[in-house]
Amino acid sequence: MEYFTTTSKPSVRAVDCAIVGIYSRGKLGAGASELDAASRGEIRQLIKSGDISSKLGRCTMLNGVSGVKARRVAVVGLGKSSDFGAREFRKAVAAAATAISKTKVRQVLNCLTLEAVAGASPYYLARHSVETIGDTLYRFDKMKSGRKPAASPLKKIGFSIAQRADAANTLRGAEHGGAIVTGASLAKDLGNLPPNVCTPSYLARTAKKLAAGNGKLTTRVLNEAEMKRLGMGSLLSVTAGTAEPARLIVMRYKGAGNKKPVVLVGKGVTFDAGGISLKPGLGMDEMKFDMCGAASVIGTMATVAHLKLPINLNVVVPAVENLPSGTATKPGDIVKSMSGQTIEVLNTDAEGRLILCDALTYSRRFKPAAIIDVATLTGACVVALGAHRTAVMSNDDDLRSELVAAGESAEDRAWPMPLGDEYAQQLKSNFADMSNIGGPGGGAVTAGCFLGKFTKGMTWAHMDIAGTAWKSGAKKGASGRPVPLLSEMLLARCNALP
Ligand code: BES
Ligand code: MN
Ligand code: ZN
């Protein structure tokens, strides 16, 4: 995607489509007002005749408006001008993008960036325009046969700005937004792929491909024999029931010399049937999304590499299938983790923590500045926070606040949940150092406490994305979250934000 800014009048720019907005009660937005003057009142006329709606989220595509160089004009409803804020701005951009997705528009000029949006900087408006357009235009149809609707040929996004001084931050916002779309789209693709395609080996190949031809990025993949030599008995106990080989994927991006890296660990269960503690059949297909933590950290690596950020970032992905069979781990089995701690596996469906604990122990070698694991870890988290916010738990107040704040700025929200010894007590086992489940209460927190037993001495946070990583129902599909949040955090850490 290419981006540009312009301070010239919207009517004089020859593009395939200009996006302008109108508020309720016939109030024209800045871009619409200029086009209306250039066309001697065509826009006002269409409002009067009821052909264009000012309702927030409506979009009317006009062709050949006289006196306007743009071939089409997308007129978007902005709702009441007194209610117009950042959320409404994104909704308006989404409406325009939906209309554009049905056309062959190659270049657009977004004039909505001329509107006053409370609390939103030029950087924000450009970045979220690009993210919203990317999210709206995303399609996953590679598994369908036959003729498919052509993908949008959109190549160029321009932004109308009121003053030259806003150009640099507008372009920066667009570039960051574009890189986040790249990372989030990769995360969506990996999530949406079926589990017979997106296996642990497939994730490993994807990570290797990302590193190919990038001098700053290397990918190393460990096989089961290597994991066994490292003592990863907990991780390997999860893969015991499947023929599909497990992988430990290690990506290292060096953009800041010898500085301590941020380490992202992503749960990569490419299918979670529950193991011997088999899940019920209804909706089990959605457990192909149980690798969305892995997808989001690999996607974030793609964003960082694309932007060539001056930061060191490592990504570690334990990738396995969790299936029942005669060789599978049984409830009651006791396994030994890489840390030396033993675990009584009381429920083979609590497998995420069993692979993450060994990946976290492995990551100690990197002496992380901060280590963050991202996982579709518990159904309890979905009960607690629903689909709107990712749960964040941490042994460090500053890191927890940093992540929650990054989620706010990135429009990819999170919420803090506690950890603590009262909860950790629930993991007691009569036979091993701990059990892998914490009983009926506080399931998201006890899962966090389990991981906390493997991160002592590191600055660590755990993000449970069980509710946010994908949508169910008619719009079933991966969301690409929390790529925006993680990218925001890394952008802020290397002072790349305005
Ligand atoms: N991958 C699931 C968590 C999950 C369930 C995410 C539903 C999204 C929707 C995880 O491996 C799991 O099965 N967790 C169990 C843990 C329990 C056995 C302690 C759960 O949440 O039921
Ligand atoms: Mn499970
Ligand atoms: Zn799982």
Side-chain angles (χ1 to χ4, degrees), residues 317-336:
V317 168
V320 300
E321 266 184 354
N322 185 24
L323 295 188
S325 84
T327 58
T329 296
K330 303 168 289 297
D333 283 1
I334 293 179
V335 300
K336 189 166 190 172

Side-chain angles (χ1 to χ4, degrees), residues 267 272 274 279 287 290 322 348-352:
K267 172 177 173 183
D272 180 13
K279 287 183 180 296
M287 281 299 121
D290 212 19
N322 185 24
T348 64
D349 199 11
E351 85 297 340

Side-chain angles (χ1 to χ4, degrees), residues 118-157:
S121 62
Y123 171 89
Y124 177 101
L125 295 180
R127 176 165 147 191
H128 286 284
S129 292
V130 172
E131 284 190 43
T132 302
I133 292 169
D135 196 49
T136 309
L137 297 185
Y138 176 83
R139 295 281 176 282
F140 184 81
D141 54 13
K142 44 180 141 255
M143 305 306 292
K144 296 204 192 245
S145 66
R147 275 189 61 199
K148 304 172 213 180
S152 158
L154 187 65
K155 285 259 152 26
K156 214 175 201 183
I157 305 177

Side-chain angles (χ1 to χ4, degrees), residues 20-364:
V20 300
I22 55 170
Y23 297 100
S24 53
R25 295 168 188 266
K27 187 177 167 198
L28 302 180
S33 174
E34 198 272 322
L35 296 193
D36 187 61
S39 66
R40 295 168 184 258
E42 266 183 45
I43 308 271
R44 252 179 228 291
Q45 197 53 49
L46 288 165
I47 297 176
K48 239 183 232 156
S49 62
D51 289 289
I52 47 187
S53 165
S54 64
K55 211 171 154 219
L56 180 63
R58 293 286 179 82
C59 180
T60 312
M61 197 62 101
L62 307 176
N63 276 272
V65 178
S66 56
V68 173
K69 288 247 173 78
R71 209 187 274 208
R72 301 178 189 73
V73 178
V75 186
V76 199
L78 305 179
K80 270 173 80 176
S81 60
S82 55
D83 292 346
F84 194 68
R87 205 180 72 88
E88 289 71 24
F89 173 85
R90 285 181 284 123
K91 210 164 172 191
V93 172
T98 302
I100 286 166
S101 72
K102 293 167 185 146
T103 67
K104 290 184 175 158
V105 165
R106 301 173 69 86
Q107 332 101 18
V108 307
L109 177 62
N110 182 5
C111 304
L112 299 177
T113 39
L114 293 170
E115 301 309 309
V117 185
S121 62
Y123 171 89
Y124 177 101
L125 295 180
R127 176 165 147 191
H128 286 284
S129 292
V130 172
E131 284 190 43
T132 302
I133 292 169
D135 196 49
T136 309
L137 297 185
Y138 176 83
R139 295 281 176 282
F140 184 81
D141 54 13
K142 44 180 141 255
M143 305 306 292
K144 296 204 192 245
S145 66
R147 275 189 61 199
K148 304 172 213 180
S152 158
L154 187 65
K155 285 259 152 26
K156 214 175 201 183
I157 305 177
F159 299 93
S160 267
I161 52 173
Q163 41 184 1
R164 272 272 128 236
D166 292 340
N169 282 338
T170 298
L171 282 179
R172 176 143 53 146
E175 293 290 348
H176 289 179
I180 289 169
V181 170
T182 300
S185 300
L186 172 60
K188 289 180 195 177
D189 281 349
L190 291 172
N192 289 333
L193 279 168
N196 58 331
V197 173
C198 185
T199 57
S201 311
Y202 184 93
L203 286 179
R205 280 200 298 278
T206 305
K208 285 221 151 152
K209 260 193 217 152
L210 260 185
N214 186 321
K216 291 185 173 159
L217 182 60
T218 52
T219 296
R220 197 176 149 216
V221 178
L222 279 68
N223 62 27
E224 289 181 8
E226 291 165 302
M227 289 187 262
K228 194 165 180 198
R229 256 177 267 137
L230 286 164
M232 297 187 164
S234 181
L235 188 160
L236 290 169
S237 76
V238 176
T239 198
T242 179
E244 198 63 50
R247 295 284 181 257
L248 186 77
I249 305 163
V250 183
M251 306 174 80
R252 303 182 70 171
Y253 170 85
K254 252 187 177 313
N258 292 325
K259 266 205 172 153
K260 285 181 173 176
V262 171
V263 179
L264 300 177
V265 179
K267 172 177 173 183
V269 177
T270 61
F271 191 73
D272 180 13
I276 295 297
S277 314
L278 190 64
K279 287 183 180 296
L282 190 72
M284 203 206 267
D285 66 288
E286 294 194 4
M287 281 299 121
K288 74 171 182 175
F289 294 117
D290 212 19
M291 35 53 68
C292 282
S296 75
V297 298
I298 294 171
T300 301
M301 182 59 98
T303 299
V304 165
H306 192 89
L307 291 172
K308 303 188 169 68
L309 290 189
I311 195 167
N312 289 336
L313 175 68
N314 293 2
V315 155
V316 178
V317 168
V320 300
E321 266 184 354
N322 185 24
L323 295 188
S325 84
T327 58
T329 296
K330 303 168 289 297
D333 283 1
I334 293 179
V335 300
K336 189 166 190 172
S337 69
M338 184 180 173
S339 73
Q341 297 176 93
T342 59
I343 305 159
E344 185 183 16
V345 180
L346 287 181
N347 190 319
T348 64
D349 199 11
E351 85 297 340
R353 59 198 82 183
L354 294 176
I355 63 171
L356 288 168
C357 69
D358 280 343
L360 288 164
T361 301
Y362 177 85
S363 299
R364 280 187 188 277

